[in-house]
Amino acid sequence: MKPITLLALLGILAGSSHSALAAPNPEKLYETWCQGCHGAGRLGGTGPVLLPESLSRLKRADAFKVIADGLPATQMPGFKSALSEGEIQALADWIYTEPAVKPKWEAADIEASRIVHKEALDLPAKPVFQADPMNITLVVEHGDNSITVLDGDKMEPITRFATRYALHGGPKFTQDGRFVFWSTRDGWVTKFDLWNLKVVAEVRAGINTRNVAVSSDARYVMVANYLPHTLVALDTRDLSLVKVIPVVGKNGKTSRVSAVYDARPRASFIAALRDIPEVWEIPYDGRPVYKGMVHDYKLKEAIAEPGPLPVRQIELTDYLDDFYFDQDYKLILGASRSSPKGQVVHLDAGRKIADLDLPGMPHLGSGITWQYQGRPVMASPNLKEGLISVIDMKTWQTVKQIKTEGPGFFLRSHENTPYAWADVFSGPNKDVMQVIDKRTLEIVATLKPEPGKTSTHVEFDRYGKYALVSLWEQDGALIVYDAATLKEIKRLPMKRPVGKYNVWNKTRLSEGTSH
Ligand code: DHE
């Protein structure tokens, strides 16, 4: 039976609201029927946040359907026998309106939400399983909000456990591969001990969160928020709060944070900002940042930003909210909002040094790099057009635009394979995976793992021997391919699997994946 809140039950006992003749009052309806799960002020509870910024991925017509019929494989019941169509419509419209008062999530809220599992704090530093701990792959399954922990040699599940709702973005590992941190779209950050297979701590760092990054010295987790406009630094030991950094540009405007990344060779976090033309660098090794200057640290007389985790604000002439890095983390390779070109920003110089020829809507966050004919190239899928742009990273000229069977989301490879795998995620050919030979830049195979079903996102084991493809369906699967022969080896049934994350590839900064 589907669960129903006490308040909702009282609503039913008090008589159906069908009888009400007055126009439906969505706020009252929310209090009666929804608040028990979705929280006061629509800020989420056991159910997700219901604020416009959090609903951008749900069409309004679908919101009506979800309220009426519920959502399979979740706790969301259908309300069509309790509410009239008018009431459901009023609720569906109302959740897309901005609340009268901008919701807050401040230091005290963050600290109050923190849950520490004391029994998991001091467990032995030894894996409880036989598999190679550096070849573990996590598979995030959206269909029932869970994670499968996979033995990367045998390609067999070690365990599977439930997560909070709507995990998004890459889980981030400590360098030794023991701890992993992830976030949900509703702001919950989890620390998991991968060797003991236990949740260590959880904290809600925001209302609408994008992703997390972990410092290479394993001291800090940095959280990127859309709502509120903050970056939140947490202590990796128990997720206690280190610092809330309000995101305010030099122009005085606040901004959503699109994503935050660890730039290991620089010992800093780099934050991509959505609403101001700046990129932020936040050193975590204690070196100071001085206000207002590009080559900040040379000016002894300048005023130091307060630490820990001071912010270096790099002003740009264009917005830069979707990007990735060269392998040295000296350059940012980003999309550009005001022209069809992308841009290359030199992090030390703090300015753009080149334009990139990137038509359509390149998805640079999913780009990769490799060596082609003795020179480094970058390649990025495209969310709007069926092409993959390959660009020479010395001259910044386009080497080739590889035509694919439709727009794609992810491009992935590994040092030990000559192939890069691209999905064709959003077009009519969403069921194919295209395999590109990195030596010739030609498509050498088009695989159709399951006709009519969406296939996406490839990750490799640590040796580049297997390529893992997600069959992104409620009753989907993880399909294991031999990365050399491109033949299917096996498939493991899974619930809408999406991202996969191999400990070795992620912690060793493999050039074929994101970090
Ligand atoms: Fe993602 C990573 C942004 C929609 C699955 N996605 C990321 C990252 C960003 C991002 C910034 C990098 C985070 C990191 O490294 O920690 N994603 C966005 C969007 O802006 C977008 C287009 C709209 C949105 O809803 O936010 C978006 N993403 C999706 C999806 O619809 C996907 C397919 C399913 C889902 O989870 O909602 C999706 N995103 C992923 C995955 C990764 C990811 C699997 C990690 C890839 C990796 O290999 O590291």
Side-chain angles (χ1 to χ4, degrees), residues 57 142 168 170 172 185 210-211 412 457 501 506 514:
R57 302 166 68 246
H142 271 175
H168 174 240
K172 301 292 157 62
R185 288 185 183 265
R210 298 290 288 171
N211 77 330
R412 288 287 180 260
H457 192 273
Y501 310 90
K506 293 294 183 184
S514 62

Side-chain angles (χ1 to χ4, degrees), residues 281-401:
E281 175 163 28
I282 306 169
Y284 52 71
D285 60 354
R287 69 183 189 270
V289 167
Y290 294 101
K291 271 202 174 107
M293 305 305 294
V294 172
H295 297 293
D296 317 291
Y297 359 174
K298 292 190 184 122
L299 285 177
K300 297 272 183 291
E301 69 279 11
I303 307 158
E305 290 285 334
L309 304 168
V311 177
R312 175 181 171 218
Q313 293 177 253
I314 303 171
E315 283 180 285
L316 301 167
T317 49
D318 199 352
Y319 295 85
L320 193 56
D321 61 349
D322 179 23
F323 59 72
Y324 70 113
F325 301 89
D326 68 333
Q327 280 295 99
D328 299 332
Y329 283 80
K330 280 197 178 353
L331 304 174
I332 288 180
L333 317 166
S336 168
R337 221 178 282 171
S338 55
S339 77
K341 294 199 176 297
Q343 49 181 328
V344 181
V345 170
H346 195 290
L347 272 167
D348 290 334
R351 62 181 175 79
K352 180 170 98 173
I353 56 158
D355 288 316
L356 300 171
D357 181 20
L358 289 171
M361 193 190 277
H363 188 27
L364 284 147
S366 281
I368 58 170
T369 57
W370 71 86
Q371 292 291 321
Y372 171 68
Q373 298 185 350
R375 54 203 165 138
V377 291
M378 57 173 273
S380 152
N382 203 298
L383 298 172
K384 280 234 173 93
E385 291 181 28
L387 59 88
I388 287 172
S389 305
V390 183
I391 292 177
D392 184 319
M393 291 173 72
K394 290 229 183 298
T395 63
W396 303 113
Q397 298 302 308
T398 301
V399 180
K400 185 165 182 185
Q401 286 186 347

Side-chain angles (χ1 to χ4, degrees), residues 56-57 140 142 167-172 185 210-213 226 258-261 321-322 363 365-366 383 409-410 412 425 456-459 472 498-501 506 513-515:
S56 57
R57 302 166 68 246
V140 173
H142 271 175
L167 197 161
H168 174 240
K172 301 292 157 62
R185 288 185 183 265
R210 298 290 288 171
N211 77 330
V212 293
Y226 256 15
S258 296
V260 64
Y261 302 99
D321 61 349
D322 179 23
H363 188 27
S366 281
L383 298 172
F409 215 98
F410 298 105
R412 288 287 180 260
F425 189 79
T456 185
H457 192 273
V458 170
E459 172 63 298
W472 202 49
V498 54
K500 299 163 298 290
Y501 310 90
K506 293 294 183 184
T513 188
S514 62
H515 315 128

Side-chain angles (χ1 to χ4, degrees), residues 58-291:
L58 182 72
K59 293 191 202 102
R60 280 186 191 220
D62 291 339
F64 180 96
K65 233 173 118 10
V66 171
I67 300 170
D69 302 329
L71 264 185
T74 72
Q75 305 269 301
M76 176 70 186
F79 288 92
K80 68 178 172 215
S81 58
L83 298 174
S84 69
E85 275 195 17
E87 287 170 326
I88 293 175
Q89 190 59 59
L91 264 173
D93 290 340
W94 180 73
I95 56 174
Y96 287 89
T97 60
E98 289 292 344
V101 181
K102 191 98 182 147
K104 288 189 178 156
W105 198 257
E106 295 172 336
D109 303 300
I110 297 172
E111 269 298 49
S113 71
R114 194 160 64 97
I115 304 162
V116 180
H117 300 277
K118 290 219 165 57
E119 72 288 355
L121 275 180
D122 289 311
L123 292 172
K126 190 172 177 303
V128 293
F129 45 81
Q130 298 299 316
D132 173 5
M134 293 309 284
N135 198 16
I136 295 293
T137 296
L138 299 186
V139 188
V140 173
E141 294 178 63
H142 271 175
D144 60 356
N145 297 297
S146 52
I147 288 183
T148 292
V149 180
L150 207 63
D151 175 334
D153 292 296
K154 294 188 181 150
M155 286 297 153
E156 279 170 12
I158 295 173
T159 190
R160 185 174 192 273
F161 56 90
T163 66
R164 286 180 185 268
Y165 178 76
L167 197 161
H168 174 240
K172 301 292 157 62
F173 303 93
T174 49
Q175 299 302 307
D176 59 3
R178 173 167 181 191
F179 294 106
V180 54
F181 301 81
W182 59 75
S183 61
T184 69
R185 288 185 183 265
D186 287 352
W188 281 97
V189 178
T190 298
K191 173 180 181 178
F192 189 80
D193 181 343
L194 205 45
W195 292 359
N196 289 288
L197 302 174
K198 290 258 186 320
V199 172
V200 180
E202 291 178 287
V203 70
R204 190 169 186 194
I207 298 170
N208 187 319
T209 291
R210 298 290 288 171
N211 77 330
V212 293
V214 177
S215 60
S216 55
D217 61 5
R219 287 180 66 196
Y220 303 107
V221 183
M222 189 64 90
V223 187
N225 284 330
Y226 256 15
L227 189 66
H229 293 180
T230 53
L231 282 151
V232 174
L234 305 169
D235 188 317
T236 46
R237 284 171 295 188
D238 56 1
L239 298 184
S240 53
L241 180 63
V242 174
K243 191 175 184 180
V244 176
I245 306 173
V247 181
V248 187
K250 291 200 170 176
N251 60 9
K253 286 197 180 139
T254 66
S255 176
R256 292 170 286 177
V257 186
S258 296
V260 64
Y261 302 99
D262 171 50
R264 192 194 299 179
R266 310 178 68 80
S268 22
F269 293 112
I270 305 288
L273 307 180
R274 183 121 182 96
D275 308 308
I276 50 178
E278 290 180 17
V279 64
W280 283 14
E281 175 163 28
I282 306 169
Y284 52 71
D285 60 354
R287 69 183 189 270
V289 167
Y290 294 101
K291 271 202 174 107

